[in-house]
Amino acid sequence: MSDVRHVLVLPDRDAAEEVAGELADRFGVLEEPQLVRDALAGEDDAEDAQWLVVIEDAGSRLDPTALDAFAAAYEGWLEAPAEG
């Protein structure tokens, strides 16, 4: 099994922080997720930024469908996984 990096896209920092905090309880994620501000192209206003929650998934053990549904509860989604 290869390692996968999952990227959850959230509408704002509060949602991203809440999702990051829930990952250990909901999915057993042991490594601290990385939060990344993703400014939308052409937007100068810092409020118009999405936030990414990056999860390193050693052994590809997380269910992408469950992660997508989890992010959707916070008005977000799961990007297609990137092989690591």
Side-chain angles (χ1 to χ4, degrees):
M1 288 190 162
S2 63
D3 294 346
V4 175
R5 176 177 292 139
H6 299 284
V7 178
L8 303 178
V9 182
L10 285 304
D12 57 44
R13 182 180 188 141
D14 289 342
E17 288 177 345
E18 195 166 335
V19 164
E22 289 285 323
L23 284 169
D25 292 338
R26 290 281 297 267
F27 296 97
V29 172
L30 301 177
E31 189 174 324
E32 185 74 24
Q34 181 181 2
L35 298 180
V36 180
R37 183 179 169 275
D38 183 33
L40 299 175
E43 296 292 340
D44 293 328
D45 187 354
E47 296 302 314
D48 290 331
Q50 295 172 326
W51 282 78
L52 309 178
V53 178
V54 181
I55 308 155
E56 300 296 335
D57 183 11
S60 303
R61 62 178 195 79
L62 297 175
D63 178 7
T65 304
L67 286 171
D68 189 46
F70 178 59
Y74 293 88
E75 300 179 16
W77 65 88
L78 172 67
E79 286 288 300
E83 295 296 322

